[in-house]
Amino acid sequence: MAGNPEWLAKVTEPALEPALPIIDPHHHLWVHPGSRYELEELLADTGQGHNIRATVFVECMAMYRADGPEHLKPVGETEYVNGIAAKSASGGFGEMRACAGIVSYADLRLGSAVDEVLEAHIAAAPARFRGIRHASAFDASPEVYPTHTNPPEGLLGHKDFREGFKRLSKYNLSFDAWLYHRQIPELTALARTNPDTVIIFDHFGGPIGIGRYEGKRSEIFAQWKKDVAELASCPNVVAKLGGINMEVNGYGWHKRDLPPTSDELVAATRDWYLHSIDIFGPKRCMFESNFPVDKLSCSYGIVWNAYKKIASGFTAEEKKDLFHDTAARVYRIGAA
């Protein structure tokens, strides 16, 4: 079965450039029926030979509070992750610092009332809380599954959402944007009207490759390049490079008898990475794992080998930005 350890173990590779310091700026933690990904599972992945120094947790509706006001229930996720981060920071599990940055959810449609939620998140993890992700990924195609927060169409332009978004800069919080490729102009409009808030463009803007988009990758890529050029003109936007091996992206890795090698990942997806780096510049780009979501398709060691092959033509200083320094700066992660 795709994504399970037995399937992933069918293809292994030694880590390339094993000394290169890495901050993984995007992973999740959860305990679902039949699916567990907590510190132990994360450590098994980050221990595959690459020099992972620290990680950033990004919200996934894990461990919300069971009771209390509805708008404050997501604070339970920050409390949960901060506990895991403290466990990692004890040093008892190695040098890697898991969840050195935490990005959680708040319903920005609360407008100015979202201040209470933001302050509760900060209080729950004062040394680690860095930002909010309120996913907006929406597509009317029935084959495209709605994202976990089930957003309405055009969320980023809604008046109440915009009012809540404006509160982020007051607390020096960033915004992680998860959307689909047709929505990139909506994010550009948001970025232009909120220049004081750092926006992280997740997963290339979710280029869809299933349903009505299947077989149209070249057409989608051509329009995506135009839309991303406009987005990159906003200096407050940085890009996370990864998260393109999900089922919705349409590469179908999970349907194969064998998982992909790093060479296969590079051959299939290189252009998305290289164009992003070209248009944003290395100082505004960071490679990400998006685990365990992308684990459906490939192993952790393989995906970081693919990134190192994609970055092989860049200078040592540019690699520092792509693998470590951009993430450290954006998420305010200290020595790692």
Side-chain angles (χ1 to χ4, degrees), residues 90-140:
S90 73
F93 297 85
E95 294 183 0
M96 194 274 285
R97 295 295 177 256
C99 311
I102 297 173
V103 175
S104 299
Y105 171 78
D107 188 348
L108 296 179
R109 292 172 296 183
L110 292 168
S112 61
V114 80
D115 283 11
E116 181 185 8
V117 186
L118 301 179
E119 290 171 5
H121 279 302
I122 293 167
R128 300 184 179 96
F129 188 70
R130 296 293 182 261
I132 291 295
R133 184 172 78 159
H134 185 161
S136 61
F138 174 91
D139 190 87

Side-chain angles (χ1 to χ4, degrees), residues 155-166:
L155 173 67
L156 299 182
H158 287 197
K159 181 181 178 181
D160 51 0
F161 176 91
R162 290 287 187 99
E163 290 177 358
F165 187 93
K166 287 184 180 297

Side-chain angles (χ1 to χ4, degrees), residues 1 7 18 59 76 105 116 120 123 144 178 229 247 255 274 278 288 297-298 302 311 322:
M1 177 182 175
W7 182 75
E59 64 84 26
Y105 171 78
E116 181 185 8
V144 179
W178 167 222
E247 184 175 353
K255 298 177 182 178
L274 292 180
D278 181 57
E288 54 154 329
S297 299
C298 57
I302 295 288
L322 292 166

